[in-house]
Amino acid sequence: MLEKEYCDRYQVLPFGVNGNNLNMAMVDPSNIQVIDFVEKKTGLKVVPFITSTTSIKSGISQFKSFSNEAKDVMKGMDDLPGISDLGEDTNSPVPKEGEEEVSISQDAPVTRAVNTILEYAIKGKASDIHIEPREKSVKVRYRIDGILSEVMTLPKHIHAAIVSRIKILSNLKIDEHRLPQDGRFSIKIGETDVDLRISISPIVYGEKVVIRILDKSGGVITLDKLGIKGRAYRLIEEAAGKPHGMILSTGPTGSGKSTTLYAVLSKINSAEINIITLEDPVEYNIEGINQIQTNAAIGLTFAAGLRSVLRQDPDVIMVGEIRDTETADLAVQSALTGHVVLSTLHTNSAAGVLPRLKDMKVEPFLIASTVNTVVGQRLVRKICDKCRESYVASEAETVAIKESLKEVLPESSDPKAKEIIADFGMPNLPFRDTEKYNLYKGKGCEECHNSGYSGRMGIYEIFSVSQAMERLLLADATTSEIQDAAVKEGMVTMKQDGYLKALSGITTIKEVARVAQDY
């Protein structure tokens, strides 16, 4: 987009595109000539951010290799070979059957293009890569901390070669362009082992590729690090210790449901119990746990796998997702016969899980007697620790906080309020004694690429099924009635959990509103 020499000379550094706006760090944001030049060159509206010379130099040093390598790759692809020649390139060997790990130090132009895209996504801590064909170009976007941003535009003529290279690495059919395909392979960058899960789908202008990045080096997160606080943590810890029953996690795709279940499994994992999982796909390998990859193409569905698993003498079973009546019925029967069952469903809230099971033809009395605990969750971005600063909440933020938290913090002297304030690490938080609150935000620095955020954390609502809820289920209660009962029994909702984390300096009110605006 901009030459390294230009950025160095005028002390500027673009760091993100948002619609028609180009976010640009500048030592002198009042330099109108530079802003005009960049706007004419890029066709975007510059949004200047003030920063230091040190930060600009560090940023240029960090990203110049990506820019230069991308240019070199593009030069090498002007005379690209035909698709039929790609698999015969001696510099980019096709992996043998069963070979999982692929070298990333190859020199063919197509290989270098793919490697460059993968390497910088992994170094930038992206969770997903989107390679999207457009009418006259190919867009590459990274999802970092849940937000997609465009990182580069490639010429349209290289799209087929890049897709074919990815298919080769994933052992997929190169000549199939009409049907979706899924695959995976592993790479090693430095000392980091990374699993890549590939999804290819035909769209109007060609085949779109989405690559999920699964970093194996970090291990599985534990319950302590999930961000579950107070009563909610105690409920899930208690459920994990029970000898039978179901723990169900719910939320939209990408909200961390599987991670929560992995954390529970890690807590109860021991040599004394037999844990078997059915997953689609297996995202993380956990030592001591028997993990099964489902495969619908050969009939190994969740339901079929669950029937087989029950003959394997399990103590704990994790089912990746309850999608249909058959799987729901088998999961309930497993919980009834003395097994601990963990699974996920797709509903908008924790309270929606119980009516959803009823929709799957599970009898209400069975739901009440098998479901121990329900977890609803979303993911919010965490404020960057390096550039976090406090500010006084605006009038609108103050009203929103008081309105949202009035049920859990009725008075700062109330015993329930004291417990919650202590759980969230805010011992000095006044509630009705002040008009304003101290909130936090990220100023933006080189560590977080001037976004103000670094990493993500969950916001949760967790409840256990009580006798009162059992009566509601038998009376065909609605989701809102179950929600009201859970709140009455002490459940902190996702939005309330998010606001409490914003007050304690973990995230921002804006982030909570983005993911929990339906509350």
Side-chain angles (χ1 to χ4, degrees):
M1 191 175 283
L2 291 178
E3 298 291 335
K4 169 186 173 288
E5 292 74 18
Y6 183 88
C7 294
D8 221 357
R9 180 178 178 183
Y10 291 101
Q11 294 294 282
V12 298
L13 185 66
F15 63 88
V17 177
N18 185 10
N20 291 321
N21 293 332
L22 173 66
N23 296 333
M24 189 165 74
M26 304 179 68
V27 172
D28 179 13
S30 63
N31 192 329
I32 304 300
Q33 288 88 351
V34 170
I35 292 175
D36 284 345
F37 173 82
V38 173
E39 286 183 342
K40 287 175 183 175
K41 184 172 177 63
T42 63
L44 300 170
K45 171 75 174 173
V46 169
V47 180
F49 290 78
I50 190 168
T51 190
S52 66
T53 302
T54 304
S55 296
I56 291 289
K57 286 183 178 178
S58 174
I60 291 172
S61 171
Q62 183 175 354
F63 290 109
K64 68 181 180 183
S65 57
F66 178 64
S67 174
N68 292 342
E69 189 164 345
K71 281 183 195 170
D72 292 343
V73 168
M74 293 306 105
K75 286 177 185 174
M77 297 184 77
D78 288 338
D79 300 317
L80 197 64
I83 300 304
S84 60
D85 299 329
L86 292 175
E88 300 173 7
D89 189 342
T90 56
N91 289 319
S92 55
V94 180
K96 298 181 179 67
E97 186 69 30
E99 183 180 352
E100 292 186 357
E101 190 167 291
V102 178
S103 171
I104 199 165
S105 59
Q106 300 151 1
D107 297 322
V110 179
T111 303
R112 288 185 61 199
V114 173
N115 290 352
T116 300
I117 291 168
L118 295 177
E119 183 175 351
Y120 285 90
I122 293 164
K123 287 182 177 177
K125 298 181 180 178
S127 61
D128 299 88
I129 304 168
H130 291 235
I131 302 172
E132 303 169 330
R134 297 291 182 246
E135 185 177 6
K136 297 179 180 178
S137 64
V138 179
K139 302 291 184 183
V140 179
R141 298 195 288 171
Y142 294 165
R143 187 180 294 279
I144 301 174
D145 292 338
I147 304 298
L148 271 173
S149 60
E150 187 178 317
V151 294
M152 66 188 303
T153 301
L154 304 175
K156 183 63 182 281
H157 75 274
I158 73 169
H159 173 253
I162 286 178
V163 174
S164 292
R165 173 62 182 163
I166 292 170
K167 286 180 178 179
I168 288 170
L169 294 174
S170 310
N171 286 321
L172 300 178
K173 297 177 181 177
I174 297 179
D175 58 347
E176 178 57 76
H177 306 291
R178 299 169 300 170
L179 295 174
Q181 296 190 72
D182 295 319
R184 67 188 301 160
F185 63 94
S186 298
I187 60 175
K188 187 168 187 174
I189 295 185
E191 297 302 315
T192 304
D193 290 314
V194 181
D195 276 345
L196 301 172
R197 197 172 80 204
I198 315 300
S199 174
I200 300 178
S201 186
I203 63 174
V204 173
Y205 295 116
E207 292 177 283
K208 175 180 175 178
V209 180
V210 176
I211 303 173
R212 169 64 56 88
I213 300 170
L214 304 170
D215 186 350
K216 298 188 289 187
S217 62
V220 178
I221 197 166
T222 62
L223 270 177
D224 298 325
K225 296 178 181 177
L226 280 178
I228 303 175
K229 304 280 187 178
R231 179 178 180 271
Y233 183 89
R234 292 188 286 274
L235 285 178
I236 198 167
E237 192 175 39
E238 180 184 329
K242 289 184 177 179
H244 55 81
M246 300 175 71
I247 300 173
L248 300 175
S249 179
T250 186
T253 301
S255 60
K257 302 185 297 297
S258 296
T259 301
T260 299
L261 297 187
Y262 278 131
V264 174
L265 289 179
S266 295
K267 183 173 183 62
I268 62 180
N269 187 17
S270 73
E272 287 78 33
I273 61 174
N274 179 21
I275 302 175
I276 303 179
T277 73
L278 285 162
E279 305 173 60
D280 182 23
V282 174
E283 294 191 2
Y284 297 100
N285 296 316
I286 307 175
E287 184 67 30
I289 293 179
N290 307 290
Q291 297 172 271
I292 299 172
Q293 167 82 55
T294 62
N295 187 344
I298 60 172
L300 182 54
T301 61
F302 284 123
L306 190 48
R307 283 195 210 91
S308 172
V309 161
L310 289 170
R311 296 190 288 273
Q312 290 281 314
D313 186 32
D315 297 294
V316 178
I317 304 167
M318 185 181 108
V319 182
E321 185 183 344
I322 295 177
R323 296 175 178 170
D324 51 49
T325 300
E326 187 180 11
T327 308
D329 183 59
L330 286 167
V332 167
Q333 294 301 322
S334 301
L336 278 173
T337 53
H339 303 92
V340 175
V341 179
L342 290 77
S343 191
T344 69
L345 287 92
H346 283 284
T347 62
N348 289 327
S349 65
V353 165
L354 306 185
R356 176 75 180 120
L357 288 173
K358 283 178 64 180
D359 290 343
M360 292 181 174
K361 311 301 181 187
V362 179
E363 293 292 341
F365 70 90
L366 290 177
I367 298 172
S369 57
T370 56
V371 178
N372 289 335
T373 300
V374 180
V375 181
Q377 63 186 87
R378 301 283 192 278
L379 290 177
V380 294
R381 289 180 291 172
K382 290 167 37 179
I383 299 171
C384 175
D385 290 333
K386 302 291 185 183
C387 62
R388 184 175 64 178
E389 60 182 13
S390 65
Y391 70 97
V392 177
S394 67
E395 189 63 38
E397 288 172 329
T398 301
V399 170
I401 291 168
K402 287 189 174 183
E403 182 63 28
S404 178
L405 298 183
K406 65 183 179 182
E407 293 172 339
V408 294
L409 300 178
E411 296 288 347
S412 58
S413 59
D414 182 88
K416 179 184 173 183
K418 282 185 174 180
E419 182 183 13
I420 290 173
I421 288 170
D423 287 336
F424 281 82
M426 302 177 292
N428 300 316
L429 174 71
F431 189 63
R432 297 197 180 278
D433 306 324
T434 182
E435 288 299 313
K436 301 288 184 183
Y437 299 96
N438 279 328
L439 294 176
Y440 301 84
K441 63 182 179 181
K443 185 169 60 175
C445 65
E446 59 186 84
E447 187 76 18
C448 62
H449 308 308
N450 287 296
S451 68
Y453 297 99
S454 180
R456 288 193 290 175
M457 174 176 276
I459 57 174
Y460 301 89
E461 55 184 23
I462 299 176
F463 69 84
S464 292
V465 178
S466 63
Q467 289 184 345
M469 289 183 193
E470 185 175 351
R471 289 192 292 270
L472 286 172
L473 279 169
L474 293 171
D476 290 327
T478 63
T479 297
S480 60
E481 288 173 328
I482 294 171
Q483 174 91 357
D484 291 343
V487 169
K488 189 176 179 181
E489 292 176 5
M491 182 183 80
V492 175
T493 68
M494 270 189 278
K495 188 173 184 179
Q496 291 168 341
D497 186 41
Y499 276 12
L500 288 165
K501 283 171 179 168
L503 286 168
S504 59
I506 296 172
T507 188
T508 63
I509 294 290
K510 184 178 179 181
E511 262 298 284
V512 177
R514 180 178 69 85
V515 303
Q517 58 187 345
D518 51 340
Y519 277 78

